[in-house]
Amino acid sequence: NTVLVYGAASGVGTAAIQIIKSLGATPIAVVGSEKKELFCKELGALDAINYKTTPEFAGQVKELTYGKGVDVILDCIGASNFAMNQKMISVGGKWVLYGLMGGSMAKDVNLGLVLVKNINMMGSTLRSKSNTYKTKLVQSFSDFALPKFEEEEFLPIIDNVFPIQKVGEAHKHVEANKNVGKVLLEVSGETSTF
């Protein structure tokens, strides 16, 4: 299986690449800089596509998948790439929408392609889930991932650590899309993710 990962150099994206590889699938990264392309390839992505230099990359994805299209799309972008995602996904592919960084209202959407290609679309957010669900999810993920961290199959990807007094600087760093992995805030000798 091939999995297209948007925001692949983010904290979620770098985790996704490692998980996808551990499950025996092949990640294809979508990123916004040459530095991030190189990093994602080193982390294990088959290829990394820079959406800033190649904004219409459906053809490249089709080439990487020998014309089939990707089996799974992990989509944190939403509306702005909706039509392109329909072109890149394989017949029977799974499309997981978990963010709307590119907007929530897609224009000129051909829902016929969803039917013709038998696309399985799923929306996912934890905000609306119960605490019980979240607790079970964390426990399940911990059971799966913690041994892999102990064996160093999974690595925490930390871009930078800012003291809490520089939270504004940390925000600017993330907003400028400079980070590769997580940005952490250090509070009184303790570090928390941001």
Side-chain angles (χ1 to χ4, degrees):
N1 287 339
T2 52
V3 183
L4 185 75
V5 182
Y6 281 102
S10 69
V12 171
T14 57
I17 289 172
Q18 294 177 80
I19 292 167
I20 291 162
K21 291 287 292 180
S22 79
L23 295 173
T26 304
I28 299 172
V30 180
V31 296
S33 74
E34 186 177 338
K35 173 186 169 186
K36 292 178 180 186
E37 284 180 71
L38 296 172
F39 184 86
C40 289
K41 287 179 188 177
E42 287 175 16
L43 194 57
L46 169 67
D47 201 357
I49 300 164
N50 185 336
Y51 68 88
K52 290 183 179 175
T53 58
T54 311
E56 185 62 41
F57 50 85
Q60 190 173 347
V61 169
K62 291 288 256 186
E63 283 180 31
L64 289 168
T65 59
Y66 304 100
K68 177 185 173 195
V70 290
D71 299 297
V72 178
I73 296 176
L74 298 181
D75 183 5
C76 59
I77 304 300
S80 62
N81 287 349
F82 198 91
M84 188 165 47
N85 286 345
Q86 287 183 308
K87 293 176 191 173
M88 294 186 293
I89 198 164
S90 66
V91 172
K94 293 171 180 57
W95 183 343
V96 181
L97 178 64
Y98 70 95
L100 299 169
M101 295 188 324
S104 62
M105 302 297 290
K107 295 180 182 176
D108 301 321
V109 172
N110 179 356
L111 291 176
L113 284 176
V114 175
L115 299 177
V116 170
K117 292 181 97 174
N118 290 311
I119 298 169
N120 297 294
M121 292 191 74
M122 176 182 141
S124 180
T125 181
L126 289 177
R127 289 186 184 115
S128 60
K129 301 291 186 186
S130 70
N131 286 338
T132 302
Y133 176 89
K134 292 175 191 177
T135 300
K136 288 179 182 176
L137 183 65
V138 168
Q139 185 58 56
S140 175
F141 182 75
S142 296
D143 292 346
F144 166 75
L146 289 180
K148 295 182 184 304
F149 278 107
E150 289 170 5
E151 297 161 7
E152 297 184 356
E153 179 182 343
F154 288 175
L155 301 171
I157 309 299
I158 299 170
D159 175 81
N160 215 324
V161 179
F162 290 88
I164 191 70
Q165 297 83 358
K166 294 189 176 182
V167 68
E169 195 176 312
H171 266 284
K172 287 177 184 172
H173 185 73
V174 172
E175 288 169 7
N177 202 18
K178 292 181 179 178
N179 59 300
V180 173
K182 282 290 189 186
V183 172
L184 306 180
L185 292 175
E186 189 170 42
V187 183
S188 303
E190 306 250 340
T191 304
S192 62
T193 60
F194 172 68

